Amino acid sequence: MTTFVLRRLAAGIFLLLVISFLTFALLSVPHTDVGRALLGQNASQAAVDARNASLGLDRPMLAQYADWLSHAVRGDLGRSWFTGEDVWSALATRLPVTLSIVVGVTLVTAVLSLLLGVWAAVRGGVVDRLVQVLSVIGYALPGFLVTLVLVLVFAVQLRWFPAIGYIPFTQSPSGWLSTVTLPIAALSVGAVAGVAQQVRGSVADVLERDFVRTLRARGLPPGRILFRHVVRNASAPALTVLGLQFVGLLGGAVLVEQIFGLPGIGSMTVQYTTRGDIPVIMGLVMVSVVGVVVVNLVVDVLVGVPNPKARVA
């Protein structure tokens, strides 16, 4: 298992380097005059050139990337070109907001998908068809439409939850819960629909295997067979899809944060990307890639623990 984890970590570090280089290369393509954006349209060309030179933009792209990477490996992501704020400080204030949403959606998705998928696979018949129909509907509904309906019904009309804003957990746990409930619900609809179908298919497939018939013939309780043997053997595909959902939520949070006015990394990405603020954008990309690597590593370990064959890949 140690070798397996080390291989995955090495692959994650390689992915981090490749993504950071490609992102930096794309951002370095001339699409906006940063010096002009900082100094204004009335600034002289000499002043603009001097400002770009002070930011290192007059150097070759590879030299700029090497300089950024040398600082990044020491934990220094630089400062925003436009606000002067330390990138780590900016991320530290916004990352908890997005993590509150993404982790909440993942937990809700895991619980509801497991319940619905196992229920559909075990009961079959009308229950199975009902769960499949609901899953297709939930997966097909546009995310922005679900979000707007939730806001109109539960925030505007019923006034059960605030329509916009965010309250930190440290400030008020109940206030925090009220501000993240609707965003979590909005993103959970499609996520539950996708993972529930995978759980249902995996559990139904395992129920047809010979070892399950053998366990039944030995007289083991149905509940023990289901949760100790069937769900365990069916967990690998479901965990993989759940991990992919987590990664996708990092991007899906952009729309939800914009609608609910949440100060997370999604809205931060939109704001700083339009400015061309490379230090902040690189920080955002690195945080996202590290999140992807960590989630994939956790999923691989969870899949590899009960299934030694998975560690060979």
Side-chain angles (χ1 to χ4, degrees):
M1 176 59 75
T2 302
T3 304
F4 173 75
V5 173
L6 291 177
R7 286 204 310 267
R8 288 294 186 267
L9 283 175
I13 294 173
F14 177 75
L15 176 65
L16 194 64
L17 291 173
V18 171
I19 295 298
S20 67
F21 176 77
L22 292 177
T23 303
F24 200 95
L26 291 173
L27 292 173
S28 298
V29 176
H31 65 282
T32 182
D33 191 339
V34 176
R36 179 70 62 184
L38 288 170
L39 300 179
Q41 296 301 319
N42 296 326
S44 65
Q45 187 60 44
V48 171
D49 292 340
R51 183 57 172 161
N52 286 330
S54 68
L55 296 175
L57 297 177
D58 58 334
R59 296 183 299 163
M61 185 274 292
L62 290 178
Q64 295 181 47
Y65 174 72
D67 182 63
W68 175 86
L69 184 61
S70 65
H71 285 82
V73 296
R74 298 196 299 267
D76 179 15
L77 294 179
R79 291 183 174 273
S80 168
W81 289 344
F82 289 81
T83 65
E85 184 180 11
D86 182 74
V87 175
W88 273 122
S89 300
L91 292 173
T93 58
R94 293 175 177 261
L95 189 59
V97 181
T98 300
L99 287 180
S100 297
I101 306 301
V102 174
V103 173
V105 174
T106 303
L107 293 176
V108 170
T109 301
V111 174
L112 293 183
S113 298
L114 178 64
L115 295 176
L116 290 174
V118 172
W119 187 38
V122 173
R123 295 295 297 273
V126 176
V127 173
D128 186 18
R129 289 193 293 272
L130 177 62
V131 171
Q132 291 193 59
V133 169
L134 292 177
S135 297
V136 171
I137 293 175
Y139 197 77
L141 284 174
F144 71 90
L145 180 61
V146 174
T147 304
L148 292 177
V149 170
L150 290 175
V151 171
L152 290 175
V153 174
F154 296 100
V156 177
Q157 296 182 3
L158 298 178
R159 298 181 182 276
W160 290 356
F161 304 98
I164 59 174
Y166 176 80
I167 299 176
F169 181 84
T170 54
Q171 180 178 333
S172 172
S174 60
W176 168 83
L177 184 62
S178 67
T179 55
V180 301
T181 298
L182 288 184
I184 290 175
L187 289 174
S188 295
V189 173
V192 170
V195 181
Q197 282 282 58
Q198 183 63 58
V199 173
R200 177 259 172 200
S202 300
V203 172
D205 178 66
V206 175
L207 286 172
E208 297 298 324
R209 295 183 183 177
D210 293 336
F211 80 90
V212 176
R213 299 190 184 96
T214 302
L215 293 174
R216 289 171 176 166
R218 292 175 57 186
L220 269 68
R224 181 179 179 183
I225 296 175
L226 178 63
F227 292 103
R228 188 169 182 177
H229 299 280
V230 175
V231 173
R232 180 180 179 182
N233 283 274
S235 62
L239 284 172
T240 301
V241 174
L242 188 63
L244 293 174
Q245 288 281 6
F246 184 94
V247 173
L249 289 172
L250 293 175
V254 175
L255 175 63
V256 170
E257 288 179 7
Q258 290 290 320
I259 293 177
F260 289 99
L262 302 176
I265 63 173
S267 57
M268 185 181 182
T269 301
V270 175
Q271 177 184 359
Y272 285 89
T273 301
T274 55
R275 293 177 174 178
D277 199 332
I278 291 181
V280 179
I281 300 172
M282 290 298 298
L284 288 166
V285 171
M286 290 302 96
V287 168
S288 300
V289 176
V290 169
V292 171
V293 171
V294 170
V295 170
N296 286 336
L297 178 62
V298 171
V299 171
D300 288 339
V301 170
L302 292 177
V303 172
V305 168
N307 184 13
K309 293 182 180 179
R311 307 175 200 168
V312 179

